[in-house]
Amino acid sequence: MDQNDRLIKTKENWAKARRGGEEREVFYEGDDRLPPGQHLVETWPVLDLGQKPDIPLSEWSLTIGGAVTTPATWTWGDFLAQPQFKDVSDFHCVTSWSRYDNEWEGVSFKQLMAVVQPLPSAKFILFKSYDDYTTNLPLLACQDDDVLLTYKWNGRPLTKEHGGPVRMIIPKRYAWKGAKWIKEITFSDHDEKGFWEVRGYSNSALPWQNDRYG
Ligand SMILES: Nc1nc2c(c(=O)[nH]1)N[C@H]1C(S)=C(S)[C@@H](COP(=O)(O)O)O[C@H]1N2
Ligand SMILES: [Mo]
């Protein structure tokens, strides 16, 4: 099946499932691209703690530190001066919606690591945002080729409601692992749980394993 066939098949299944009132089950059975318990949406819902910080580009900065050789603080200009990276991936929210084929553009996490050079002791990362949101991941999860700091979605600047100026995207984890309005990235030798992780959500957050709660 190519991607278009998949999407058509998916829509048919969704329509069928809705009629039968069993959206999730039927939907998943018919589509090998949807993780268990997820359904497809074509809009892009907004989810956050409710406080959407307004950060003018002139005041935006990203501080990268902790267990690294070369800590850095990037201004907007510094961020744009990095080699630019584009990737298309699917977005899976733990509240059960998935959105296919999002084109992200920004700086790859690999590039960020090449700049700051994590120490061998660095095994975990804590992300902090301008709304004081936090989330955590193992360093390994962020080394994938599809992980990036994005400032564009489908060719347009990332809107404030979706985390602009810049947010994290980690396609292989549920969306709460991707900090909107990113402000600080701290490498560490120990794991520190973030906002949802201390409130009972899974520390690993793997959509394909239906790994939602800790
Ligand atoms: N800074 C910040 N990042 C955040 C959140 C938040 O409240 N604050 N919510 C997370 C959650 S729970 C989800 S599902 C996704 C939603 O991203 P979206 O609003 O762009 O769909 O952002 C994640 N990143
Ligand atoms: Mo979420």
Side-chain angles (χ1 to χ4, degrees):
M1 263 197 289
D2 73 16
Q3 244 168 42
N4 212 32
D5 290 343
R6 267 179 169 159
L7 199 59
I8 291 163
K9 192 159 188 293
T10 299
K11 279 182 176 164
E12 284 170 3
N13 282 336
W14 199 2
K16 257 187 259 163
R18 284 207 150 162
R19 260 179 269 132
E22 313 169 290
E23 188 172 310
R24 288 186 191 180
E25 289 77 8
V26 180
F27 201 68
Y28 174 58
E29 276 170 19
D31 188 350
D32 57 7
R33 190 173 171 184
L34 262 183
Q38 295 293 109
H39 70 271
L40 184 67
V41 298
E42 290 180 354
T43 52
W44 187 10
V46 172
L47 276 134
D48 51 56
L49 302 176
Q51 178 212 338
K52 297 176 178 34
D54 205 349
I55 312 128
L57 296 181
S58 58
E59 283 165 37
W60 181 85
S61 72
L62 172 63
T63 298
I64 312 152
V68 299
T69 311
T70 318
T73 296
W74 287 348
T75 63
W76 183 245
D78 298 330
F79 177 75
L80 291 184
Q82 300 298 315
Q84 297 290 295
F85 172 77
K86 239 190 228 185
D87 189 59
V88 175
S89 60
D90 298 346
F91 192 91
H92 307 295
C93 176
V94 73
T95 60
S96 91
W97 55 270
S98 294
R99 197 186 185 291
Y100 291 167
D101 293 324
N102 303 281
E103 187 191 86
W104 309 112
E105 195 174 337
V107 176
S108 72
F109 207 77
K110 285 197 159 173
Q111 168 62 22
L112 179 144
M113 288 197 293
V115 171
V116 299
Q117 297 180 55
L119 297 171
S121 61
K123 301 280 185 249
F124 301 96
I125 305 178
L126 185 68
F127 300 91
K128 276 191 195 160
S129 300
Y130 280 92
D131 61 346
D132 290 330
Y133 182 80
T134 54
T135 188
N136 59 302
L137 276 172
L139 175 62
L140 264 174
C142 300
Q143 280 178 324
D144 278 337
D145 285 333
D146 55 6
V147 178
L148 79 158
L149 295 136
T150 191
Y151 71 106
K152 280 191 185 173
W153 174 77
N154 289 357
R156 297 189 290 273
L158 188 68
T159 58
K160 179 173 91 169
E161 56 178 1
H162 286 298
V166 181
R167 77 175 296 165
M168 282 296 302
I169 293 293
I170 306 102
K172 294 191 188 75
R173 307 283 165 150
Y174 284 118
W176 89 77
K177 292 288 183 179
K180 296 156 75 163
W181 312 292
I182 186 77
K183 182 186 181 189
E184 284 174 36
I185 298 178
T186 307
F187 292 77
S188 178
D189 61 358
H190 64 276
D191 198 13
E192 188 181 328
K193 288 185 176 179
F195 183 88
W196 287 117
E197 291 81 7
V198 300
R199 287 166 177 77
Y201 278 82
S202 163
N203 204 29
S204 37
L206 292 158
W208 288 99
Q209 294 178 24
N210 211 350
D211 164 33
R212 297 167 195 265
Y213 310 104

